[in-house]
Amino acid sequence: MSRFMKKAFQDFDSYTPGEQKNDGSYCKLNTNESPFPPAPAVVQALADFDADMLRLYPDPTGRVLKEKLAAMHGVAPENIFLSNGSDDIINFAVLAFVDQDEEVVFPEISYSFYDVIAALHGVNVRRIPMAEGFSIDPEDYCDLNQNIVIANPNAPTGLALSSDQIRRIAASNPDHLVLIDEAYVDFGAETVIPLINEYDNLLVSRTFSKYAGFAGGRLGYAVGSKDLISDLTTIQYSTNPYNINRISMRLAEAIVDSDDYYRVNAGRIAATRARVCEKLQSMGFEVIPSKANFVFVRHASVDGGTIYEELKKRFVLVRHFDKAPISDYIRVSIGSDRQMDLFINKLQEVLSINQASEE
Ligand SMILES: *Cc1c(COP(=O)(O)O)cnc(C)c1O
């Protein structure tokens, strides 16, 4: 740290991104990326991209992309906010909507970025303890009269609330923001985008990173009432008006045009997930039922840290969170069938060695 860091940030714990080992030597199942190639139209759009256009600033309103997204979701373009990945939305939303004397409420076990953003903006947090089996009891979030952030499906558990349960939460906190982070919704959960016209406090965030295999392209968006979107835009224009680069904007348009392709891939992930869950159970894992493109699992006798380390030695990367009460678990992204076969194979090796050494 330099001598110049502000006092407020001198002991600041930033978010720790998953390891990015992308030289091809690892089977990478640690950051929930898609194993599938881009849709043909996206590859074509990149090939056709006119490099000379990079001289010019992108359209700060993102009109074309907003129109396509609006048509896909049955909302108006004014209901859509575009961002450089959806982490930006959480940042802008806390900046725009959470006063210093208010709280941001979220589940104790959730995406750790919420904690970081709240700390960055110096607002109070309230972490609600989990219900049975790391689930979220929607009743714990009703009538709080506070700002609420919930990932649905939740990370890293993969458990999802229904649209009706989220409706109750939004309806019972009418004077505060309810931000639903739908980063993983396309793998089997219910979206609450259709509710944004009923609840002007409901903001839904989405990303192309997981569903559309566009983590490297950095494109997220939020859907909400026109007024919420216009407030987010005020903040965005005051930080980085050109936050989506031209190439990503163009490719994102092609992604929306290819939605059928991505929907099929999400179905393939769900099918592979079911197969992997069954296999893991037969190998002695407790498997939390997931609606996301990852599974959160714990072995009966070998702890999460050991499995993580031993898999890494065998060039398979999974995610391990070294903190109570989830340190026994590993989170495994659902990749292609071939990747998952390799994972299961290496996992069997790890378990047989570790169980043998216990005896
Ligand atoms: C991956 C993820 C995001 C955001 O990803 P971006 O790449 O910034 O769009 C947001 N929320 C959750 C819960 C995630 O897992």
Side-chain angles (χ1 to χ4, degrees):
M1 190 179 63
S2 78
R3 323 181 260 124
F4 307 105
M5 187 64 138
K6 279 165 65 171
K7 277 200 193 67
F9 297 136
Q10 285 185 359
D11 294 311
F12 196 72
D13 275 330
S14 68
Y15 176 71
T16 313
E19 296 160 276
Q20 300 301 344
K21 296 183 179 296
N22 290 323
D23 63 2
S25 57
Y26 281 85
C27 175
K28 204 168 162 302
L29 304 175
N30 67 332
T31 49
N32 302 337
E33 289 141 330
S34 168
F36 302 115
V42 176
V43 176
Q44 194 61 48
L46 183 59
D48 291 347
F49 189 84
D50 178 2
D52 186 52
M53 294 302 279
L54 292 174
R55 287 184 303 107
L56 307 175
Y57 281 107
D59 172 12
T61 72
R63 188 184 52 83
V64 176
L65 180 55
K66 281 185 188 170
E67 282 170 0
K68 286 181 189 291
L69 285 167
M72 179 165 85
H73 290 301
V75 298
E78 295 75 31
N79 294 121
I80 307 239
F81 174 78
L82 301 177
S83 67
N84 191 318
S86 68
D87 287 340
D88 253 1
I89 293 166
I90 303 159
N91 186 28
F92 290 150
V94 172
L95 197 52
F97 303 121
V98 182
D99 272 317
Q100 297 298 314
D101 60 351
E102 292 182 343
E103 292 177 342
V104 184
V105 181
F106 46 82
E108 194 164 39
I109 297 174
S110 193
Y111 187 34
S112 57
F113 199 70
Y114 306 149
D115 254 314
V116 175
I117 289 291
L120 183 71
H121 296 298
V123 299
N124 303 310
V125 302
R126 195 195 314 176
R127 302 179 192 87
I128 307 261
M130 309 312 287
E132 191 63 31
F134 294 148
S135 66
I136 291 171
D137 181 349
E139 293 309 313
D140 291 343
Y141 298 80
C142 289
D143 303 302
L144 294 184
N145 206 25
Q146 279 299 349
N147 305 286
I148 295 168
V149 182
I150 295 178
N152 193 52
N154 195 17
T157 63
L159 291 168
L161 296 173
S162 71
S163 158
D164 280 340
Q165 290 173 316
I166 292 170
R167 174 195 289 276
R168 283 251 314 125
I169 296 170
S172 70
N173 294 281
D175 298 322
H176 286 84
L177 180 75
V178 174
L179 171 55
I180 303 299
D181 180 345
E182 293 191 346
Y184 299 106
V185 77
D186 298 286
F187 301 101
E190 259 183 303
T191 180
V192 289
I193 288 177
L195 303 185
I196 59 135
N197 291 318
E198 276 174 81
Y199 301 100
D200 67 355
N201 59 329
L202 179 64
L203 187 68
V204 182
S205 94
R206 289 288 191 101
T207 176
F208 284 13
S209 294
K210 317 293 168 37
Y211 170 64
F214 202 55
R218 312 304 305 135
L219 206 295
Y221 60 101
V223 190
S225 74
K226 291 176 190 178
D227 290 343
L228 284 183
I229 298 305
S230 131
D231 294 344
L232 288 175
T233 307
T234 301
I235 300 296
Q236 184 228 322
Y237 280 12
S238 312
T239 28
N240 186 359
Y242 302 106
N243 68 342
I244 318 265
N245 71 74
R246 260 184 192 281
I247 300 175
S248 290
M249 190 92 86
R250 176 66 200 100
L251 300 187
E253 291 161 19
I255 286 174
V256 181
D257 289 340
S258 308
D259 195 52
D260 288 348
Y261 171 90
Y262 292 102
R263 212 162 285 286
V264 169
N265 285 346
R268 290 162 72 188
I269 292 290
T272 302
R273 180 181 67 207
R275 182 173 75 82
V276 169
C277 284
E278 210 169 292
K279 185 74 195 167
L280 286 171
Q281 272 161 341
S282 77
M283 291 164 71
F285 280 89
E286 175 199 321
V287 178
I288 296 179
S290 171
K291 298 267 197 227
N293 66 338
F294 55 81
V295 288
F296 199 51
V297 300
R298 166 169 73 171
H299 192 261
S301 58
V302 186
D303 74 276
T306 304
I307 296 178
Y308 161 79
E309 289 294 346
E310 291 299 320
L311 283 174
K312 191 171 169 182
K313 285 184 199 159
R314 291 164 177 79
F315 293 93
V316 175
L317 270 188
V318 299
R319 191 93 195 244
H320 174 244
F321 301 93
D322 195 9
K323 61 171 189 191
I326 54 173
S327 57
D328 287 348
Y329 288 76
I330 54 167
R331 191 196 67 190
V332 185
S333 308
I334 302 297
S336 65
D337 281 312
R338 209 167 52 88
Q339 284 178 307
M340 299 324 282
D341 289 344
L342 178 74
F343 158 71
I344 294 287
N345 197 285
K346 298 293 176 192
L347 186 60
Q348 267 158 344
E349 201 177 297
V350 168
L351 293 180
S352 66
I353 293 168
N354 280 273
Q355 284 169 322
S357 68
E358 270 170 31
E359 277 146 14

Short mmCIF file of all heavy atoms in Angstrom, two decimals, residues 219-241:
data_model
loop_
_atom_site.label_atom_id
_atom_site.label_comp_id
_atom_site.label_asym_id
_atom_site.label_seq_id
_atom_site.Cartn_x
_atom_site.Cartn_y
_atom_site.Cartn_z
N LEU A 219 -20.51 -7.90 -20.28
CA LEU A 219 -21.79 -7.25 -20.57
C LEU A 219 -22.84 -7.70 -19.57
O LEU A 219 -23.14 -8.89 -19.46
CB LEU A 219 -22.23 -7.62 -22.01
CG LEU A 219 -23.15 -6.65 -22.76
CD1 LEU A 219 -24.53 -6.53 -22.11
CD2 LEU A 219 -22.55 -5.26 -22.89
N GLY A 220 -23.35 -6.75 -18.81
CA GLY A 220 -24.44 -7.04 -17.89
C GLY A 220 -25.56 -6.05 -18.16
O GLY A 220 -25.38 -5.07 -18.89
N TYR A 221 -26.73 -6.31 -17.61
CA TYR A 221 -27.81 -5.33 -17.75
C TYR A 221 -28.76 -5.46 -16.58
O TYR A 221 -28.81 -6.50 -15.91
CB TYR A 221 -28.54 -5.44 -19.08
CG TYR A 221 -29.21 -6.76 -19.38
CD1 TYR A 221 -30.59 -6.92 -19.22
CD2 TYR A 221 -28.49 -7.84 -19.86
CE1 TYR A 221 -31.22 -8.12 -19.54
CE2 TYR A 221 -29.10 -9.04 -20.17
CZ TYR A 221 -30.47 -9.18 -20.00
OH TYR A 221 -31.08 -10.37 -20.30
N ALA A 222 -29.48 -4.38 -16.34
CA ALA A 222 -30.49 -4.39 -15.28
C ALA A 222 -31.83 -4.08 -15.91
O ALA A 222 -31.91 -3.35 -16.91
CB ALA A 222 -30.15 -3.36 -14.22
N VAL A 223 -32.89 -4.64 -15.33
CA VAL A 223 -34.24 -4.38 -15.79
C VAL A 223 -35.04 -3.86 -14.59
O VAL A 223 -34.99 -4.46 -13.51
CB VAL A 223 -34.90 -5.66 -16.36
CG1 VAL A 223 -36.21 -5.33 -17.06
CG2 VAL A 223 -33.96 -6.39 -17.31
N GLY A 224 -35.72 -2.75 -14.78
CA GLY A 224 -36.50 -2.17 -13.69
C GLY A 224 -37.37 -1.04 -14.21
O GLY A 224 -37.43 -0.78 -15.42
N SER A 225 -38.03 -0.36 -13.27
CA SER A 225 -38.90 0.75 -13.66
C SER A 225 -38.07 1.82 -14.37
O SER A 225 -36.86 1.93 -14.16
CB SER A 225 -39.56 1.36 -12.42
OG SER A 225 -38.60 2.12 -11.71
N LYS A 226 -38.75 2.62 -15.21
CA LYS A 226 -38.03 3.67 -15.95
C LYS A 226 -37.28 4.60 -15.01
O LYS A 226 -36.18 5.05 -15.32
CB LYS A 226 -39.02 4.47 -16.81
CG LYS A 226 -39.56 3.63 -17.94
CD LYS A 226 -40.62 4.28 -18.77
CE LYS A 226 -41.19 3.20 -19.68
NZ LYS A 226 -42.27 3.64 -20.55
N ASP A 227 -37.88 4.88 -13.87
CA ASP A 227 -37.22 5.82 -12.94
C ASP A 227 -35.97 5.22 -12.31
O ASP A 227 -34.95 5.90 -12.18
CB ASP A 227 -38.21 6.26 -11.84
CG ASP A 227 -39.30 7.17 -12.41
OD1 ASP A 227 -39.11 7.70 -13.53
OD2 ASP A 227 -40.34 7.33 -11.75
N LEU A 228 -36.04 3.96 -11.93
CA LEU A 228 -34.83 3.31 -11.40
C LEU A 228 -33.73 3.32 -12.45
O LEU A 228 -32.56 3.63 -12.16
CB LEU A 228 -35.11 1.85 -11.02
CG LEU A 228 -35.86 1.50 -9.74
CD1 LEU A 228 -35.92 -0.02 -9.57
CD2 LEU A 228 -35.22 2.14 -8.52
N ILE A 229 -34.09 3.00 -13.68
CA ILE A 229 -33.10 2.93 -14.76
C ILE A 229 -32.50 4.31 -15.02
O ILE A 229 -31.29 4.46 -15.22
CB ILE A 229 -33.75 2.35 -16.05
CG1 ILE A 229 -34.24 0.92 -15.81
CG2 ILE A 229 -32.78 2.43 -17.23
CD1 ILE A 229 -33.24 -0.06 -15.29
N SER A 230 -33.34 5.32 -14.97
CA SER A 230 -32.82 6.67 -15.23
C SER A 230 -31.87 7.11 -14.10
O SER A 230 -30.86 7.77 -14.35
CB SER A 230 -34.01 7.60 -15.48
OG SER A 230 -33.92 8.75 -14.74
N ASP A 231 -32.15 6.70 -12.87
CA ASP A 231 -31.23 7.01 -11.76
C ASP A 231 -29.89 6.30 -11.94
O ASP A 231 -28.82 6.88 -11.70
CB ASP A 231 -31.83 6.60 -10.41
CG ASP A 231 -33.06 7.44 -10.06
OD1 ASP A 231 -33.26 8.51 -10.67
OD2 ASP A 231 -33.83 7.00 -9.18
N LEU A 232 -29.94 5.04 -12.34
CA LEU A 232 -28.69 4.31 -12.57
C LEU A 232 -27.89 4.98 -13.68
O LEU A 232 -26.66 5.08 -13.61
CB LEU A 232 -28.98 2.85 -12.96
CG LEU A 232 -29.49 1.92 -11.87
CD1 LEU A 232 -29.83 0.55 -12.45
CD2 LEU A 232 -28.45 1.77 -10.76
N THR A 233 -28.60 5.47 -14.69
CA THR A 233 -27.92 6.13 -15.81
C THR A 233 -27.24 7.42 -15.35
O THR A 233 -26.14 7.74 -15.79
CB THR A 233 -28.93 6.39 -16.95
OG1 THR A 233 -29.58 5.16 -17.26
CG2 THR A 233 -28.24 6.92 -18.19
N THR A 234 -27.91 8.15 -14.46
CA THR A 234 -27.29 9.36 -13.90
C THR A 234 -25.95 9.03 -13.26
O THR A 234 -24.95 9.71 -13.48
CB THR A 234 -28.22 9.98 -12.83
OG1 THR A 234 -29.46 10.30 -13.45
CG2 THR A 234 -27.61 11.22 -12.21
N ILE A 235 -25.93 7.95 -12.49
CA ILE A 235 -24.69 7.55 -11.81
C ILE A 235 -23.65 7.07 -12.83
O ILE A 235 -22.47 7.44 -12.76
CB ILE A 235 -24.96 6.41 -10.79
CG1 ILE A 235 -25.95 6.87 -9.72
CG2 ILE A 235 -23.66 5.94 -10.15
CD1 ILE A 235 -25.47 8.00 -8.85
N GLN A 236 -24.11 6.29 -13.79
CA GLN A 236 -23.17 5.76 -14.79
C GLN A 236 -22.55 6.90 -15.61
O GLN A 236 -21.34 6.93 -15.83
CB GLN A 236 -23.88 4.77 -15.70
CG GLN A 236 -22.94 4.11 -16.70
CD GLN A 236 -23.49 4.14 -18.10
OE1 GLN A 236 -24.70 3.97 -18.30
NE2 GLN A 236 -22.63 4.39 -19.06
N TYR A 237 -23.38 7.84 -16.05
CA TYR A 237 -22.87 8.97 -16.85
C TYR A 237 -21.91 9.84 -16.02
O TYR A 237 -21.11 10.57 -16.58
CB TYR A 237 -24.02 9.83 -17.37
CG TYR A 237 -24.71 9.28 -18.60
CD1 TYR A 237 -24.48 7.98 -19.05
CD2 TYR A 237 -25.60 10.06 -19.34
CE1 TYR A 237 -25.12 7.48 -20.17
CE2 TYR A 237 -26.25 9.57 -20.46
CZ TYR A 237 -26.01 8.28 -20.88
OH TYR A 237 -26.64 7.79 -21.99
N SER A 238 -22.03 9.72 -14.70
CA SER A 238 -21.16 10.51 -13.84
C SER A 238 -19.89 9.76 -13.44
O SER A 238 -19.06 10.29 -12.71
CB SER A 238 -21.92 10.92 -12.57
OG SER A 238 -23.19 11.43 -12.90
N THR A 239 -19.80 8.50 -13.85
CA THR A 239 -18.57 7.75 -13.57
C THR A 239 -17.86 7.38 -14.87
O THR A 239 -16.67 7.63 -15.03
CB THR A 239 -18.85 6.45 -12.78
OG1 THR A 239 -20.15 5.99 -13.06
CG2 THR A 239 -18.69 6.62 -11.31
N ASN A 240 -18.61 6.79 -15.82
CA ASN A 240 -17.99 6.30 -17.05
C ASN A 240 -19.05 6.19 -18.14
O ASN A 240 -19.65 5.14 -18.32
CB ASN A 240 -17.35 4.92 -16.76
CG ASN A 240 -16.57 4.39 -17.93
OD1 ASN A 240 -16.50 5.02 -18.99
ND2 ASN A 240 -15.99 3.23 -17.76
N PRO A 241 -19.30 7.29 -18.85
CA PRO A 241 -20.42 7.30 -19.80
C PRO A 241 -20.28 6.28 -20.93
O PRO A 241 -21.28 5.81 -21.46
CB PRO A 241 -20.39 8.72 -20.39
CG PRO A 241 -19.41 9.49 -19.59
CD PRO A 241 -18.59 8.55 -18.76
#
